[in-house]
Amino acid sequence: MHPRALLLVVPLAALLTGCGSDELPTSDPLPAPEVVPIAEARALPVDEYTQIEGFVSVPAGTFVTATGDFGFAIQDDTGGIYVSLYEELKILIGAKIRVIGKIAQVSKQTVLVTNVTGPELLQGIEAVTPKDVATGEVNESTEGLLVRVKGIVSNPIVEDKPYGIKAYVDDGSGEVEIYVCFAGDKPLIDTTKLTKGTAVEITGFAQQYLDRYEIAPRGAVDLVIVPPPSP
């Protein structure tokens, strides 16, 4: 198995005794923890049981080829986080979700591990607006958020099949990796347009994989080719 998927599948499955079932661990039934802001949940120690709510920025299963799970991402006014989910569940972008689970560190990324009974759909829907950041500012402070960068494709793409494709964008503040997952046998965005020297606008989920930070686009609308200025 590819190391990117392996690092997600093995540690996360071990955190929930009910992984593959419909229940969170029940050996010592616990009362539901209080709902806390996402930034507060992100600061909790590993294995801490917590509950958060926010709006979906990445639909469930979008990154399955790279993560090996059907997770999704949510954010509130304080921050964002990836929610790892091993059972397939229809959770759409913009939905308001309350979710309960355990904090984990996976390939150095902070995630919340849950299962099919963890997420609760709440009333309300809200489009999550990406945060505009410089390419060199995609770091720990942006991890878990939906972000948008503008810059020049700085290097040729690198294939990482069947898990994804790596592209690179730089606005002069530092290069950032764009990790494009696959949907079936095709990448989520048209990577043939990411030729070196092309000006682009990329929206995606800011994530960490080991010692590097990446932006993971969610679909075709997350790539905009910027036309050259008029003479």
Side-chain angles (χ1 to χ4, degrees), residues 77-111:
D77 291 338
T78 71
I81 195 167
Y82 183 81
V83 180
S84 182
L85 177 67
Y86 278 86
E87 300 89 352
E88 194 166 3
L89 194 62
K90 191 173 184 180
I91 299 176
L92 301 179
I93 193 166
K96 188 174 184 181
I97 298 288
R98 181 179 296 141
V99 62
I100 191 168
K102 281 188 176 182
I103 294 294
Q105 285 287 321
V106 180
S107 304
K108 298 188 178 182
Q109 176 166 298
T110 301
V111 304

Side-chain angles (χ1 to χ4, degrees), residues 38-90:
I38 291 177
E40 186 175 324
R42 289 182 56 88
L44 293 172
V46 168
D47 288 344
E48 188 78 16
Y49 192 49
T50 190
Q51 186 169 203
I52 56 175
E53 62 181 49
F55 292 93
V56 175
S57 58
V58 179
T62 301
F63 302 144
V64 64
T65 58
T67 63
D69 72 0
F70 297 98
F72 57 99
I74 66 171
Q75 65 183 69
D76 63 11
D77 291 338
T78 71
I81 195 167
Y82 183 81
V83 180
S84 182
L85 177 67
Y86 278 86
E87 300 89 352
E88 194 166 3
L89 194 62
K90 191 173 184 180

Side-chain angles (χ1 to χ4, degrees), residues 227-231:
S230 300

Side-chain angles (χ1 to χ4, degrees), residues 153-178:
V153 178
S154 49
N155 275 295
I157 62 172
V158 176
E159 293 190 353
D160 191 27
K161 290 184 176 179
Y163 309 99
I165 291 176
K166 300 174 184 178
Y168 305 90
V169 174
D170 196 339
D171 63 4
S173 65
E175 187 178 70
V176 66
E177 182 177 299
I178 311 298

Side-chain angles (χ1 to χ4, degrees), residues 129-134 146-150 201-204 215:
T129 303
K131 179 179 181 179
D132 290 306
V133 298
L146 189 68
V147 300
R148 180 169 52 206
V149 295
K150 296 179 182 179
E201 178 182 283
I202 300 279
T203 300
I215 297 174

